[in-house]
Amino acid sequence: MTDPSIADSSATPDGASVPDTAIPDAETPAAQCPYCSRPFRTEQACTLHLGDAHGETWTDDERAAYEAAVDDESDDLFVFHLKVVGALSLLYAVYVLAYMIVLGLQG
Amino acid sequence: MSRSPSIARWALGIVCATVFAGEAAAHAGGLSGTFKPVAVPSWLVVATGGGVIGASFLLTSLVTDHAFIRGVTEWRAALPTRTTARTVAVRGVRWLSVGVLAAIVMIGSTGPSVAAANLAIVGVWAGWWAGYTMTTYLVGNTWPAVNPWRPLAGLGALLRDRVLDRPTRRYPERLGAWPSVVGLVGLVWLEVISPIAQQPRTLVGVIAGYSVVTVAGAVVYGRETWFGVVDPIARVFRWYGRVAPLQRTGRGIEFVLPGGALADGRSGADETAFVVALLWVTTYDGLVATPAWATAIRTVVGWGLPPSAVYLGTAIAGFGCFLYIYRVAARWSRRTADTYVTARYLRDWFAPALVPIAAGYHLAHFLGYFLSLSPALVAVIAQPIAPPAAIRTLVLPAWFGTLQLAFVLAGHMLAVWVAHARSFAIFPGRLAPIRSQYPFVLVMVFYTVFSMWIVGQPYTQPPYL
Ligand SMILES: [Zn+2]
């Protein structure tokens, strides 16, 4: 009475699988993963993907490229995090000001 | 004014009062007057909610270590369970639940006609839909063990094998979870338009109809297929169960961190639609009880449309609207993440992150309802046939409204974290995953504002019902 072909699809773990991709007609991907053939819009994304997904099987060259890409991204990430801290401070300031004005008008 | 049982007072620290039965039956009535104790205007409170979600995204974006994120979401602690003890307990509970269902149907059809004094009404709405549902996302999904229709379907299957001697029919696979999407929106529409929260006899009719469909379906297509794929209620509890800390696995029961069980696994477009429907119906349930809704519906019915059609139309249109916004966000996310991953894949990939929002909203909506009706629940369980003349309900303190808003926010914050963890699982590096979240966070900020606005509205009886 159980139908094995219809399993509970809400609980199928396949986090490691390759996501579906689609490349627009006018474009050629900048890079493609040699292991799972996933296409990427930038060389850097592909290099980073190698480290995230294929860290056990990669070559020494790929490893070196990955470490360089991580360093590159770290600089961008630092700038990004500065912006995040700025945005948080701004958000905080705006709300403090809003509360002060609103409560001030009431009091 | 009379006092409630001392246990309840001690446990809840809440002053109690006698309330008339009619008021007690008012659905979700515990939500009214949310903003009264605060001098801050409601628009600012609601805007603060949106700001908190934005801020929690910004704070989450500081956590960019793939290994750390995986470590948090994959952290598990096995709980010792004895298989034999579990099997015996599950069997006992299963038949007990059939007894509870029988009692609800019996008291519902022959018991007191006053809603708050009838076991069927109080048991189903306060006990099951409010109280039990909370345990599925706060503790763990026990529905497969306590679902009373499972053993009934088992009996049906026995009859099918012995008497008819026919095999189960094959479920058309292309339908997937779609019947449960239709079933969920349909059930909530029925809950809104029919007096099943006030009239015990009507409720029994709906339970009987659901039982016939469920048992017949499980007999025809097989129990696992029916409860695993078609039944909307089992699916709601399965999704809510993935928010919970206790998870059942092949090895036993495991303890996970909040959202841990939502961080992996991919499901199809039908499941995505179901999750969006779950989010929509919790919103719809609250939306119909706002003054703005009452005004709008009076205008539309004034043009000559039948009210039940307007309610059905808005239930479907609202679902379509939610689905559309989510799809647009997923398409946009494809651009912000600068990726070739399809929008369709992203939609299905991030759908589980929406479940904590629905759970948080359910908690905000129903914890007050459950607590205020809990003395009534105790009274009708103790004396189901001849309940006391004056049914007591709790009056919740003013700060409870603030707590409800906190639940809505907590659901959203967990959703931000689950989506963050999921984005790191499919996008390379550390910036692309964060950028993929921009559209979703923007939508979430607006949705937070919208749902906090609903929670803060005074309860208004939906017109024409
Ligand atoms: Zn690859």
Side-chain angles (χ1 to χ4, degrees):
Chain A
M1 64 193 255
T2 335
D3 188 350
S5 68
I6 305 166
D8 168 17
S9 53
S10 69
T12 330
D14 62 348
S17 72
V18 185
D20 303 338
T21 48
I23 302 151
D25 291 337
E27 252 182 84
T28 35
Q32 197 165 20
C33 173
Y35 298 97
C36 63
S37 54
R38 177 174 163 184
F40 291 94
R41 290 186 77 119
T42 58
E43 191 75 48
Q44 194 203 26
C46 184
T47 314
L48 289 168
H49 160 78
L50 283 172
D52 295 338
H54 309 290
E56 299 93 35
T57 46
W58 57 2
T59 63
D60 286 346
D61 283 356
E62 284 163 355
R63 183 196 194 89
Y66 173 72
E67 276 157 12
V70 167
D71 273 354
D72 272 2
E73 200 190 31
S74 292
D75 298 341
D76 294 344
L77 197 68
F78 179 71
V79 176
F80 176 79
H81 279 162
L82 281 183
K83 287 181 192 161
V84 164
V85 171
L88 276 170
S89 319
L90 187 71
L91 204 63
Y92 179 72
V94 166
Y95 277 104
V96 166
L97 207 65
Y99 272 87
M100 276 169 66
I101 291 171
V102 167
L103 296 180
L105 286 177
Q106 279 183 355
Chain B
M1 288 279 160
S2 70
R3 289 291 168 103
S4 77
S6 62
I7 301 168
R9 199 180 50 200
W10 174 80
L12 303 169
I14 291 169
V15 187
C16 317
T18 310
V19 167
F20 293 106
E23 268 180 63
H27 208 88
L31 293 176
S32 52
T34 295
F35 294 124
K36 269 179 202 153
V38 211
V40 180
S42 58
W43 66 265
L44 187 53
V45 174
V46 162
T48 308
V52 169
I53 299 310
S56 58
F57 164 71
L58 292 172
L59 285 168
T60 312
S61 77
L62 299 172
V63 183
T64 55
D65 187 54
H66 280 259
F68 174 78
I69 294 167
R70 265 203 302 275
V72 172
T73 58
E74 287 173 6
W75 186 86
R76 298 284 185 274
L79 296 185
T81 39
R82 283 211 190 125
T83 323
T84 44
R86 211 171 62 217
T87 315
V88 171
V90 163
R91 263 190 210 146
V93 165
R94 211 165 257 176
W95 287 104
L96 186 72
S97 70
V98 176
V100 171
L101 179 67
I104 282 174
V105 169
M106 206 184 72
I107 302 294
S109 43
T110 61
S113 58
V114 178
N118 194 296
L119 175 71
I121 294 284
V122 183
V124 167
W125 295 111
W128 177 73
W129 184 238
Y132 174 76
T133 304
M134 281 175 214
T135 69
T136 62
Y137 52 77
L138 294 176
V139 183
N141 178 19
T142 50
W143 189 241
V146 303
N147 182 352
W149 289 283
R150 254 176 190 275
L152 291 179
L155 280 185
L158 212 66
L159 282 177
R160 177 197 62 211
D161 294 341
R162 292 265 165 85
V163 184
L164 295 172
D165 193 29
R166 276 162 69 176
T168 54
R169 221 181 282 183
R170 203 181 158 72
Y171 178 72
E173 233 169 290
R174 68 199 154 79
L175 288 181
W178 290 105
S180 62
V181 176
V182 176
L184 180 65
V185 176
L187 277 177
V188 171
W189 171 70
L190 196 68
E191 184 250 320
V192 169
I193 64 138
S194 72
I196 54 173
Q198 290 91 36
Q199 288 176 16
R201 312 290 186 266
T202 320
L203 178 62
V204 168
V206 171
I207 292 175
Y210 173 79
S211 303
V212 168
V213 171
T214 303
V215 172
V219 166
V220 172
Y221 293 108
R223 257 197 301 183
E224 297 312 313
T225 306
W226 188 265
F227 293 111
V229 182
V230 188
D231 185 43
I233 293 175
R235 198 180 282 278
V236 167
F237 289 139
R238 199 160 54 238
W239 273 111
Y240 274 155
R242 284 179 70 184
V243 181
L246 295 186
Q247 296 293 324
R248 216 184 132 196
T249 63
R251 280 156 293 165
I253 295 169
E254 284 181 341
F255 183 86
V256 304
L257 293 173
L262 285 166
D264 66 358
R266 192 177 100 81
S267 41
D270 50 345
E271 289 273 11
T272 304
F274 187 84
V275 170
V276 173
L278 182 61
L279 197 61
W280 162 243
V281 295
T282 37
T283 312
Y284 181 70
D285 205 28
L287 184 65
V288 295
T290 60
W293 173 272
T295 316
I297 206 106
R298 282 208 179 87
T299 317
V300 176
V301 172
W303 299 338
L305 289 166
S308 61
V310 175
Y311 277 93
L312 182 62
T314 46
I316 295 169
F319 168 57
C321 191
F322 267 43
L323 205 56
Y324 177 75
I325 293 171
Y326 183 60
R327 280 173 181 225
V328 168
R331 265 209 299 278
W332 187 11
S333 164
R334 198 170 179 241
R335 282 208 298 280
T336 58
D338 198 23
T339 181
Y340 286 128
V341 178
T342 60
R344 196 194 167 86
Y345 190 94
L346 292 180
R347 215 154 64 205
D348 298 341
W349 182 255
F350 288 113
L354 301 174
V355 184
I357 304 177
Y361 195 72
H362 182 278
L363 191 60
H365 202 119
F366 285 108
L367 181 63
Y369 180 73
F370 175 72
L371 290 179
S372 62
L373 283 185
S374 53
L377 188 63
V378 172
V380 295
I381 287 173
Q383 296 161 280
I385 294 161
I391 296 285
R392 287 164 177 170
T393 57
L394 299 183
V395 172
L396 300 171
W399 52 260
F400 201 83
T402 317
L403 198 63
Q404 288 177 315
L405 299 180
F407 292 147
V408 171
L409 284 180
H412 281 269
M413 283 154 88
L414 187 56
V416 166
W417 168 253
V418 171
H420 182 74
R422 281 188 160 261
S423 69
F424 271 74
I426 57 163
F427 294 117
R430 290 163 288 175
L431 274 171
I434 294 170
R435 288 191 177 130
S436 77
Q437 293 308 298
Y438 292 166
F440 295 114
V441 169
L442 192 70
V443 170
M444 227 187 262
V445 166
F446 282 106
Y447 181 69
T448 311
V449 169
F450 180 53
S451 47
M452 282 179 66
W453 171 78
I454 291 177
V455 169
Q457 292 294 298
Y459 176 82
T460 316
Q461 177 64 37
Y464 305 110
L465 299 178

